[in-house]
């Protein structure tokens, strides 16, 4: 490298030392020598990275070499940001590039709050949604908008990601859907609970449990909502009658809670027709509680809170009444 170019670099390094921490919020100048410029940037605990800049042999006529490191941001995001930063440097060849590149990287972090969950968004695109679905990112409002479709059923989901994610809890709601209202409420309530469990320690901690650490919630929330609910339920059959639980056309959904075809969701997650479930829960055996025919787990539902002992007593009483009536009929005949 010529003496002239070395003087240029020394001059630029002097500028960086004076202005870096003043002009770039949350920055710490770790190293500033001709071999390397290293700056640590922090916005939040999970939005921080280290920028390493190296001068090429023909600098400033060629772009500065950018390397990004982070323990919290994904490698795919960092690789893409490195390319963007180098392209930014190409726009100012022949000029000082260190501060403009640092400012560009900081602005990217500020203007793209969803960068902290880029790997989860990538997973959703790759593994959860299909061609008929739609995903949009609203960086200004820090929101993920999802339209998920299965057969004729759909749900538009809105996930709002707080600035301090994953330490703070995300919020989930729906802007539009054509599901039974009870199922929609159930889906969202359980998704909110998943979100809460990711940021709040359990009330009863086991002695051998490690210290609680908040963890990302977007992936488990979307796995539950998309894979376990929206994509599964339109084709799920009632375990008792083996017919489709939900009507094929959402317009034909039964809304009367005690109608035989009204859809009930039990604790284990399976769907039953109200009439089928009512009949099944009132038919022996009752020992240990009634089990779901699909998964073998005990059935719990707010509409049916009778203990196994009481259920058996009621059934025995009904059978006794039936025998008495049969005897009367036989006598009269």
């Amino acid at each position: 490298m010529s003496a002239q170019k070395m003087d240029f670099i020394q001059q630029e390094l002097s500028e960086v030392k004076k202005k870096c921490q003043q002009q770039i919020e949350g920055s710490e100048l770790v190293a500033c020598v001709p071999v390397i410029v290293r700056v640590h940037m922090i916005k939040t605990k999970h939005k921080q990275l280290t920028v390493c800049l190296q001068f090429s042999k023909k600098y400033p006529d060629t772009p500065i070499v950018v390397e990004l490191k982070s323990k919290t941001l994904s490698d795919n995001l960092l690789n893409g940001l490195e390319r963007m930063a180098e392209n930014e440097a190409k726009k100012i060849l022949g000029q000082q590039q260190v501060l403009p590149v640092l400012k560009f990287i900081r602005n990217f972090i500020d203007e793209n709050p969803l960068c902290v969950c880029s790997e989860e968004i990538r997973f959703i695109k790759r593994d959860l949604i299909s061609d008929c679905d739609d995903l949009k990112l609203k960086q200004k409002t820090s929101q993920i908008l999802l339209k998920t479709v299965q057969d004729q059923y759909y749900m538009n989901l809105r996930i709002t990601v707080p600035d301090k994610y994953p330490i703070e809890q995300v919020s989930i709601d729906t802007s539009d859907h054509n599901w039974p209202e009870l199922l929609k409420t159930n889906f969202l309530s359980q998704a909110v609970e998943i979100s809460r469990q990711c940021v709040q320690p359990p009330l009863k901690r086991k002695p051998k449990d490690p210290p609680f650490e908040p963890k990302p919630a977007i992936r488990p929330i979307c796995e539950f909502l998309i894979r376990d609910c929206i994509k599964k339920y339109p084709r799920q059959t009632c375990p008792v009658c083996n017919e489709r639980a939900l009507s094929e056309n959402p317009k034909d959904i039964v809304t009367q809670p005690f109608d035989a075809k009204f859809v009930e969701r039990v604790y284990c997650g399976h769907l039953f027709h109200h009439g089928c479930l009512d009949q099944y829960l009132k038919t022996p055996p009752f020992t240990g509680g009634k089990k779901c025919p699909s998964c073998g787990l005990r059935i719990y539902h707010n509409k049916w809170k009778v203990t196994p002992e009481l259920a058996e007593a009621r059934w025995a009483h009904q059978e006794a009444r039936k025998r008495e009536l049969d005897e009367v009929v036989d006598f009269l005949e």
Side-chain angles (χ1 to χ4, degrees), residues 146-166:
L146 270 165
K147 181 174 183 178
T148 312
V149 179
Q150 182 62 50
D151 300 338
Q152 296 185 55
Y153 287 85
Y154 72 89
M155 186 173 285
N156 294 345
L157 297 164
R158 180 169 51 230
I159 302 172
T160 304
V161 183
D163 191 43
K164 293 183 179 179
Y165 179 83

Side-chain angles (χ1 to χ4, degrees), residues 316-331:
H317 178 71
Q318 288 174 354
E319 289 297 303
R321 289 269 304 171
K322 185 179 177 183
R323 284 195 298 272
E324 289 173 5
L325 289 171
D326 288 344
E327 288 172 4
V328 170
V329 170
D330 289 343
F331 175 77

Side-chain angles (χ1 to χ4, degrees), residues 89-100:
K90 288 177 182 177
K91 298 176 183 177
I92 49 173
L93 295 179
Q95 304 172 47
Q96 294 184 357
Q97 299 173 20
V98 174
L99 284 174

Side-chain angles (χ1 to χ4, degrees), residues 44-46 162 164-169 198-200 214-216:
T44 67
K45 183 179 178 181
H46 288 82
K164 293 183 179 179
Y165 179 83
I167 295 174
E168 293 181 350
Q169 185 174 341
C198 287
V199 299
Q200 294 181 17
K215 56 187 177 183

Side-chain angles (χ1 to χ4, degrees), residues 204-211:
K204 293 184 179 179
R205 182 175 169 270
K206 296 178 183 178
K208 293 184 179 179
D209 283 350

